[in-house]
Structure formats: structure tokens, C-alpha cells
Amino acid sequence: MDREQRLVAEAKMRSRDRAEARLSGRLPQAFLDDEEEEAEEPIRARRRRRDGLDMDMDLDDAQIPALDPESLRDVKGPLNEFVMMEGPRRAIKKAFHSFLTSYVNEKGESVYGERLKAMCEAEGQSLEIDFNHLHNTDATLAYFVVNTPAELLKIFDAVAMEVVLTGFEDYDKICSEIHVRVANLPVVETLRDLRQSHLNTLVRVSGVITRRTGVFPQLKYVKYNCLKCDALIGPYFQDALAEIRVRLCPNCQGKNCFVINSEETVYRNYQRITLQESPGTVPAGRLPRHREVILLWDLVDCARPGEMVDITGVYRNNFDVSLNMRNGFPVFATVIEANHVLRREDEFASSRLTETDLREIMRLKDDSRIRQRIIKSIAPSIYGHEDIKTAIALAMFGGVFKNPQGKHRLRGDINVLLLGDPGTAKSQFLKYVEKTAPRAVYTTGQGASAVGLTAAVHKDTVTREWTLEGGALVMADKGVCLIDEFDKMTDQDRTSIHEAMEQQSISISKAGIIASLQARCAIIAAANPIFGKYNPQVPFSQNVELTEPILSRFDVLCVVKDVADPLVDEQLARFVVNSHIRSHPLSDKMAHTAPEVDADIIPQELLRKYIMYARDHVRPSLVNVDTPKLENLYSELRRESMAVGGGIPITVRYLESIIRMSEAFARMHLRSEVRQDDVDHAISVTIRSFLSAQKFSVKKSLSKVFDKYIRKDRDTFELLNHLLSDMQREHIRFNYYRHDAMSTHVEMDVEEFVQRAREHQVYDLVPFYESRLFQTSFTLDRQRKKIVSRA
């Protein structure tokens, strides 16, 4: 080998050693030779790459040497500086590129390939990745993204954009950037637990949005024009928290002679929201704390004030002048720059249902007794009150909203009023709906005013301008508004919700602001009678201080009476005791356990998903309905209400209520058409609501008139159980009068029970004997042909 060949070989080896050292982060840029540094890339390109401005790095596999995971785990120096070195950056890019393109589910399908395709078809710019997927595939990347999210998310965005461009070449003309959103971070912090150790890391917090600003354009990459030499300089990256000012022109050395070039400057959407701790998570005696959250790009307007959200973002600090002037020493304010926002109501949204959830929903749909099972599953910890549970189920499923030709709006939400004696679990029903309904707002009559229910106009504390804030009805849009102690509201406050209950909108004309807000929600209200207990000797209108206009806006009226009945009281006491036994923390280890929960009850999580699926996908239509039957019913109701007087006013709204409830019953079965039996069930609910509002002296006569309408709405098992309970009650009463003692052991003849069942057109009793409803309270002695009550 001659001298020239040896020099060439040594130069190649030195270049190889420097490249390997540079890739592993061991050789600083200062030790590079000048000629080699100039040959590698221009100074401006190196400066932009060092400042994090140039994210368009090539992903050619030939230029990215393979680094094993062990080398990436060997962090040298601070982590944020390590991931900015060229070698680790390329290794991270390659690892994340492999994750996006190779991660598959149990069926071998590409998870993120499908998500990228769906995102591009919707012309979106956010790709949601699951943190658990990333952790299971590459724990090092998951560790890096949590501890250095600012640098890692920039790399992830660039990789996602390049993966998109491989399948959609011109997608960069639609969206200039793709943003990777990290979801399902396992650790959820509370706002009051955020400390210095969380700064510049990825955190997940939850709370309620209390305030939201408008959407503003924010500078991202700024270009300036020099007023002296007319040179175009930039782009300069504008941080979200601090303003970057250019003071010296690199061409003419002019100072402070710049104007922003609005055509070349790149903007992004910017919005601030205030996140406050959830009411249930605030320790006793403490005030709820709040944090400012910054929403960028397509995250703006993703949630409204009043909504519960989970926010994943970077916990940052910024210098606040007013805070330092007040405290007298350097103090930094903290903000959360959001990366992913999840609304709590979206957790059970139909778009997030898995294949397992859909199979469970379809399995419930095929059950012929699904209506009875849904009604049983409403507040299963409360005994009885089937009429209230039916009304609540109707309100949660709702009818179909109609707006023919955009001229006349017909509401689909069902309003319910619960009126009854104290201690009949009215407030517990409302609390159950608050926890179960996808979107619910709870308020009380004493604590709510007219503006608190509708909308308020006040001055913004920051901009000092008049702003409009929605009340409880506006926040419950497309959900349920729950009003407890409805009778404690003043007449002026109740009058303010008339428009919201029928037109489902709230008109405002105050302080120069003229607007109409949407209030498309069902209202479930609970009230107490005037005299403390409901008096059946007087009509409904004399038992409650509510006017006819507001009573006519309720689709269902449920009157709850606390009637003393030995049999019912005994069953209620047994139910309450068993419920407390099952709820004990050590119930599994106790020797005496309570009976198991009824198998017909649907788990609450599944019921919530079922309701969401029905509301989103099922739009039942009226087909082949017995119209003459509805006509006769309406005319008879009008005639009897006029003749009796003092009850509830029957208007055309009740005819629309029957149609809404028919659609709700069809939704319970996930049917696209309303059948005649759905209409019969709705008629039965309306008739029972009408009869419950009448005084005792006319209720029996009216029951005979309308009995033909309510006969079909009876579950066979519930009917037979009611007949059997009546027989048991008669035997107990007979023994009490004869022997002056209450009997706990009652035997009834099977033949007598069969005869009573035939009077109600029920002939096959074998399924009832085998049902859990019968076996819970009775046993069948086939040899003696006796039905024995359980002690």
C-alpha cells in the first residue's frame, strides 16, 4: 500500500470513528474539523436543527444506523440534553416509526395504520396513541415521553407526518402538521398535588371546566421584514409562554427596525381554559383549586364550561409580573399545555365502544324482556317504585328530535315530575341519574335562581367586557337537568324555565347582548306536597304550588304515597337489610350472606353504554300505528278531565308525549320502527299518570273507564307476583282477625292461584314457578299443591 492509499484509508477510518462517536453522543460538535463540518451541512441548517426548528429530517433507513435498545437506555448527562443529540434523536425516530407501522392487535391488524387512515379521511391533524401500547412495545420511549415531553412530542409529530406522507403524498397541503396525542396515561394526579417535581413532565389531571376564552391566532414561526434594508429574516420559533424579540438585523446591523411579515408568518389556534377540581374530590373544609390550561391547534373548543374532562399535557412554568409584584420575589406561575383532552361523557360514547361492548349490546337487544330488565336496572338499590323507574328510563332514552323543513322544532326529550311524601327516595333517584346519565347537571330549588338555571350576563374579570355564561339548563344541553326541591323555587324562577322546557332554547336580551342559547335537555324534577304528605282526598293541583302552564310541560307525573302495608313493609325491610349486608366491605367473609342480586339486573356500566348506543344510532319512526285508538284516547281524556276538574290539564302536549314515549320504548329494544305495543305501553304510562293525579273519590270510576288502555302493559311475571302477594295479604289479614296474631308462615292453594291467573288470561304458570322472582319469596310444594311463603 503506497502513501496516498494509506492516507485515504486513515481518513475514512477517522470519519467512521467520528460518525460513530457523534451518533452515540460522545463527540461534541466543537471537536469536528472545520472543513468536514462545512461539508456536512450549512451553518444556518445546523443552527435551525440545534434550535429545534428544522424537524424535517430524512427517515431513510440507510442513513439511520441501527442502535440497540441498550444504547438508547444508556443516558449520558441530563435527559433533555441527551434526547436532543443527533444519535439518540435518530434512534428515537426509528423506534417510533417502527411502533406506528408494526404495532398490531390480537387479530394481527395494524392498529395505528387504521387510525392514520381514518384521520386522513376525516382531514384531521391529531393521531391518538395509547400509552399502554407504547409502554408494552418500547418502555424506553414511554419513559422518555413522560419525562421529556417537549422534545419527544416534536419528534413524534415529525415521524407521524412522514408516515402519513407515505400513504397520502399530498396530505401536507391539507394539514401542515400532524400532532401525536398521548392517551390513557396510567397515573392521574389531582390539581392540588402538582409540585415542582412535575415541572416539564407529562401529567394527567381531571376536573371541571369553569371558564373558556375565545379562540385567538398565536404566532408559531415568525418572519420579519427589516425597515432599513427590506430583508426578510427568520423564521423564528415563538414559544407558547414567552415572546421572542429580534433586536439586530443580520444584513444591515440595524436595531429595532422590524415589522412582522404577516404573509410568511405561521399561526396556530390558541385558547385558555380554567380547570377546577371536581366537587367530589375536594377535601372537607377546603376550597377547590384551579389551573390554567392552554389548548392549541385542533384542541380548541373541544370542551365546554361545566364539563368533566381528563387532560393530559405538559406542566410548565412561566414568569408572571403581577405575581412577582405581589409577592416581592421571583415566583413562577404554572400552566398545563394540553396534549390530549377526554370528556368524561365521551368515555361511553358510541364511537369508543369496543367489539366486546357491541356484542353485549346486541345480546341484550335479542332479549324479549329487555324493557322489563332495563326498568329493573334503574336504581336497583331502591325497592319498588316501578312507575318512577319507568319514567326515569323513558327520560334517559328519550324520543326523537324533529325539525321539519327547519321551521318547527318538536322536542324529543321527556320531562318527569316526582311528587310525593318525604322518605320515598325521590332525591336518591335524582342522584342515581346524575351518576348514570352520560351528561347530567344537578341543582336544587333553594340554591338555584332564574339566572343560575338559564343564563347570566356579567363582566369578564380579564377583558372587562360583558360576557354571557350559561346556567344549569344550558350546561345540560343534550343531557338531563335534575332539579330537587322544585316546589321551593319562587314563581319568578320557575317562570324562567317555561321556554326551555318546551322550545328548548333560552333567549337573552341584556347589556346589549341578544342571543339564543340551546337547552336541549330532559328535566327531572322532585317536589314535596304543600302539607308535607300527599292528601288523596284533594286533586293534584291542590297538593302542590305549581301552575297549570308548567304542569302541562311535564310528560309524566309520578305521585308517590307512603302507604302502610304489612306485607310490603316486611319485604321492604328485608330488602334494605340484605342490601346493607351485601354492601359491607367484609361481606365475602361473613358467615350469613344475603341473597344474590336479581340476575335480570343489567350492570350499570353496560346499561350506560346501551343508553348511549340507543341515543346515537336508533331513530325510530312511526309506522302502522293505530291512529283511531289515539284519537279516541285523546278525546276521552279531554272529556273526563273537563268533567272531573281539579286534576292535571289535558292538552295536545299529552298527545305528543305519547308519541315521544313510544319512540323511547322502541329505543329500549333498538328498533328502527315504533310498533303498536310500544304505543300501548306509552298510553298506559300516560293513563297511570292521569289517574294518579285524581282525588280518591273519582279515581275508581276513572280506572274502570280507562282500564281497556292499561291492561296490555303488564309483565306476566310481575302480574302473577302481584296476584300471589294479594292472596298472601288476604291470608295474613284473615289470620290476624281470627287469631289476633300476625302469621309469618302462609300456605295458599295452587288451584286458587291458577283460577286467578286465568281471570287475567294467563294459563302457563311453569315459567313463573321457575323464575327468580317467585323463588325469592315463595316455594312450591307440588305434592300438597300448596304455595308456601318464605319466612
Side-chain angles (χ1 to χ4, degrees):
M1 179 182 296
D2 57 7
R3 183 174 178 276
E4 293 183 0
Q5 292 176 345
R6 184 170 59 82
L7 291 176
V8 171
E10 288 178 353
K12 289 183 178 180
M13 286 188 291
R14 285 197 302 270
S15 178
R16 180 198 62 190
D17 294 338
R18 278 192 295 269
E20 291 179 356
R22 187 166 58 250
L23 289 175
S24 59
R26 295 193 302 268
L27 186 63
Q29 292 283 341
F31 292 149
L32 291 175
D33 295 337
D34 292 337
E35 57 272 8
E36 292 181 359
E37 185 178 12
E38 293 175 359
E40 283 186 355
E41 58 184 356
I43 296 177
R44 180 176 297 178
R46 287 189 291 105
R47 183 183 298 117
R48 293 183 66 223
R49 188 183 301 276
R50 184 176 66 249
D51 293 340
L53 301 178
D54 189 4
M55 298 299 298
D56 297 326
M57 295 177 288
D58 194 7
L59 255 183
D60 189 4
D61 290 339
Q63 298 181 11
I64 302 179
L67 288 180
D68 55 348
E70 296 296 333
S71 300
L72 197 58
R73 294 192 189 108
D74 187 14
V75 179
K76 297 177 174 60
L79 183 60
N80 57 343
E81 297 180 4
F82 175 74
V83 297
M84 293 180 66
M85 295 180 181
E86 191 65 21
R89 284 170 65 89
R90 293 194 177 185
I92 292 170
K93 290 189 65 175
K94 185 175 182 180
F96 188 67
H97 186 278
S98 175
F99 168 73
L100 288 182
T101 55
S102 62
Y103 187 83
V104 295
N105 56 13
E106 298 174 353
K107 297 182 179 180
E109 301 172 348
S110 175
V111 174
Y112 296 102
E114 292 297 325
R115 292 189 184 182
L116 285 169
K117 181 180 178 182
M119 180 195 69
C120 295
E121 290 175 352
E123 297 185 0
Q125 53 180 330
S126 288
L127 172 64
E128 182 179 311
I129 66 169
D130 195 314
F131 181 82
N132 297 320
H133 295 171
L134 184 63
H135 182 269
N136 296 335
T137 304
D138 194 330
T140 305
L141 277 186
Y143 174 78
F144 284 177
V145 77
V146 169
N147 290 276
T148 58
E151 293 78 13
L152 263 291
L153 290 175
K154 292 179 183 178
I155 301 176
F156 286 3
D157 294 349
V159 174
M161 188 65 187
E162 297 206 4
V163 174
V164 167
L165 293 178
T166 57
F168 301 86
E169 297 180 356
D170 297 328
Y171 196 74
D172 55 346
K173 298 178 181 178
I174 300 175
C175 297
S176 59
E177 294 185 13
I178 301 296
H179 306 284
V180 175
R181 311 293 184 191
V182 182
N184 295 331
L185 205 65
V187 180
V188 181
E189 305 285 350
T190 60
L191 292 179
R192 64 178 58 242
D193 290 338
L194 294 178
R195 296 291 185 267
Q196 174 269 338
S197 58
H198 296 96
L199 284 174
N200 300 319
T201 63
L202 200 65
V203 296
R204 178 182 176 186
V205 295
S206 62
V208 180
I209 298 177
T210 58
R211 185 177 175 273
R212 184 179 68 176
T213 66
V215 180
F216 304 103
Q218 186 195 42
L219 301 174
K220 186 184 180 184
Y221 295 119
V222 191
K223 288 189 177 182
Y224 294 96
N225 285 332
C226 181
L227 296 177
K228 293 184 177 180
C229 63
D230 200 24
L232 180 65
I233 61 174
Y236 297 97
F237 177 74
Q238 178 67 52
D239 187 57
L241 303 176
E243 182 181 2
I244 294 179
R245 295 180 178 271
V246 179
R247 303 188 182 279
L248 187 66
C249 177
N251 291 336
C252 65
Q253 307 301 317
K255 295 183 178 180
N256 300 324
C257 54
F258 305 101
V259 292
I260 296 178
N261 188 318
S262 59
E263 296 180 355
E264 298 290 337
T265 298
V266 179
Y267 299 89
R268 60 183 172 186
N269 296 323
Y270 174 89
Q271 188 178 46
R272 291 175 78 99
I273 62 175
T274 302
L275 188 70
Q276 184 175 288
E277 286 181 304
S278 305
T281 61
V282 180
R286 305 289 184 88
L287 293 176
R289 297 187 181 179
H290 62 273
R291 283 285 189 279
E292 293 290 324
V293 180
I294 296 176
L295 304 180
L296 300 174
W297 297 103
D298 58 337
L299 290 182
V300 298
D301 285 342
C302 63
R304 297 176 294 179
E307 290 184 330
M308 288 279 298
V309 293
D310 279 354
I311 292 181
T312 303
V314 184
Y315 189 53
R316 296 176 178 267
N317 60 348
N318 64 331
F319 189 77
D320 192 339
V321 177
S322 61
L323 196 64
N324 284 271
M325 292 176 62
R326 185 165 57 248
N327 292 277
F329 57 90
V331 175
F332 287 91
T334 54
V335 295
I336 300 175
E337 186 176 326
N339 173 261
H340 179 263
V341 178
L342 173 65
R343 297 187 300 173
R344 287 291 176 88
E345 62 183 69
D346 290 342
E347 291 182 9
F348 296 95
S350 56
S351 59
R352 289 181 172 270
L353 295 179
T354 62
E355 294 183 1
T356 305
D357 297 332
L358 293 176
R359 282 196 298 268
E360 289 291 327
I361 290 173
M362 293 299 114
R363 182 180 60 81
L364 289 177
K365 171 193 171 184
D366 297 333
D367 190 349
S368 59
R369 297 183 66 251
I370 182 60
R371 179 177 59 85
Q372 292 86 352
R373 293 187 62 186
I374 289 174
I375 294 173
K376 277 186 179 182
S377 303
I378 300 295
S381 60
I382 300 175
Y383 178 77
H385 301 302
E386 183 181 354
D387 55 341
I388 296 180
K389 294 183 178 182
T390 304
I392 289 176
L394 291 172
M396 294 178 71
F397 277 89
V400 179
F401 170 78
K402 305 177 186 69
N403 191 6
Q405 300 178 359
K407 297 179 180 179
H408 179 55
R409 296 178 54 167
L410 298 174
R411 65 179 171 95
D413 296 299
I414 297 172
N415 301 324
V416 179
L417 175 63
L418 311 179
L419 177 71
D421 299 336
T424 50
K426 298 187 298 297
S427 299
Q428 293 298 323
F429 277 115
L430 299 187
K431 284 295 183 181
Y432 168 81
V433 177
E434 182 189 14
K435 300 295 182 183
T436 306
R439 183 180 179 87
V441 176
Y442 181 89
T443 183
T444 59
Q446 285 184 325
S449 61
V451 294
L453 286 174
T454 55
V457 177
H458 66 92
K459 274 192 175 182
D460 189 270
T461 56
V462 179
T463 62
R464 306 302 299 171
E465 295 179 354
W466 289 103
T467 58
L468 190 64
E469 268 199 11
L473 293 173
V474 178
M475 289 186 178
D477 187 39
K478 293 186 177 180
V480 183
C481 182
L482 309 165
I483 306 176
D484 202 0
E485 305 291 343
F486 191 61
D487 56 306
K488 303 299 188 300
M489 295 176 62
T490 62
D491 292 337
Q492 182 182 1
D493 295 340
R494 275 197 297 263
T495 305
S496 64
I497 67 174
H498 281 193
E499 180 190 2
M501 291 185 68
E502 192 60 40
Q503 277 73 38
Q504 295 197 312
S505 63
I506 294 173
S507 301
I508 295 294
S509 180
K510 297 178 181 178
I513 298 177
I514 300 175
S516 180
L517 304 178
Q518 300 281 2
R520 298 160 295 181
C521 63
I523 294 178
I524 303 179
N528 291 318
I530 299 175
F531 309 106
K533 288 182 69 70
Y534 189 86
N535 184 6
Q537 304 302 327
V538 297
F540 185 89
S541 58
Q542 297 180 20
N543 271 284
V544 64
E545 291 181 339
L546 296 177
T547 59
E548 288 190 2
I550 201 166
L551 285 178
S552 64
R553 285 169 164 80
F554 285 103
D555 301 283
V556 187
L557 300 177
C558 297
V559 177
V560 192
K561 303 171 187 174
D562 188 9
V563 181
D565 188 320
L567 181 60
V568 175
D569 293 342
E570 180 185 350
Q571 293 175 348
L572 173 60
R574 184 187 303 119
F575 180 87
V576 171
V577 171
N578 292 335
S579 177
H580 277 267
I581 294 175
R582 282 193 297 266
S583 302
H584 195 276
L586 303 178
S587 59
D588 298 336
K589 301 179 182 179
M590 297 174 64
H592 301 284
T593 57
E596 296 181 1
V597 182
D598 192 349
D600 283 346
I601 294 178
I602 304 172
Q604 297 304 300
E605 294 267 334
L606 180 58
L607 178 63
R608 190 175 186 182
K609 295 175 182 178
Y610 191 91
I611 294 173
M612 284 294 301
Y613 182 87
R615 290 179 66 95
D616 290 349
H617 293 87
V618 182
R619 299 285 186 275
S621 58
L622 290 171
V623 180
N624 299 326
V625 176
D626 189 358
T627 307
K629 185 175 183 178
L630 290 176
E631 296 172 356
N632 296 333
L633 170 68
Y634 180 64
S635 61
E636 289 187 31
L637 281 173
R638 290 275 293 180
R639 183 178 65 251
E640 295 296 337
S641 65
M642 294 295 181
V644 174
I648 55 175
I650 298 298
T651 63
V652 72
R653 286 173 177 163
Y654 273 84
L655 193 57
E656 295 179 348
S657 299
I658 294 175
I659 297 175
R660 280 192 287 268
M661 289 187 283
S662 304
E663 295 167 345
F665 277 121
R667 272 183 168 175
M668 291 184 188
H669 294 268
L670 301 185
R671 287 197 295 259
S672 59
E673 296 180 356
V674 177
R675 301 193 316 200
Q676 184 59 39
D677 57 339
D678 298 325
V679 179
D680 293 338
H681 295 324
I683 290 174
S684 177
V685 173
T686 303
I687 295 298
R688 288 196 178 110
S689 174
F690 174 72
L691 294 177
S692 66
Q694 306 303 322
K695 56 185 178 181
F696 185 76
S697 59
V698 298
K699 187 174 180 179
K700 273 196 173 182
S701 60
L702 290 178
S703 299
K704 293 180 181 179
V705 175
F706 295 105
D707 186 60
K708 56 186 177 182
Y709 293 107
I710 64 176
R711 184 172 299 171
K712 294 184 178 180
D713 186 33
R714 289 176 179 170
D715 183 14
T716 305
F717 288 0
E718 296 290 345
L719 173 62
L720 294 175
N721 186 66
H722 177 71
L723 294 176
L724 203 53
S725 299
D726 284 344
M727 291 177 58
Q728 182 185 10
R729 192 179 294 109
E730 293 172 3
H731 281 72
I732 292 176
R733 190 178 296 113
F734 176 77
N735 291 332
Y736 177 76
Y737 291 140
R738 184 174 182 180
H739 303 289
D740 197 20
M742 295 293 294
S743 175
T744 58
H745 185 75
V746 179
E747 293 185 354
M748 296 162 285
D749 292 332
V750 174
E751 292 298 329
E752 182 184 359
F753 179 55
V754 171
Q755 185 64 30
R756 294 198 182 189
R758 287 178 179 175
E759 293 176 359
H760 292 80
Q761 290 82 38
V762 180
Y763 302 97
D764 187 11
L765 302 180
V766 175
F768 175 66
Y769 292 146
E770 297 175 353
S771 68
R772 186 177 184 86
L773 185 62
F774 173 81
Q775 295 176 359
T776 301
S777 304
F778 305 97
T779 56
L780 176 63
D781 191 342
R782 297 184 183 274
Q783 294 181 353
R784 299 168 52 211
K785 294 185 178 180
K786 295 286 185 180
I787 298 176
V788 184
S789 64
R790 294 181 181 271

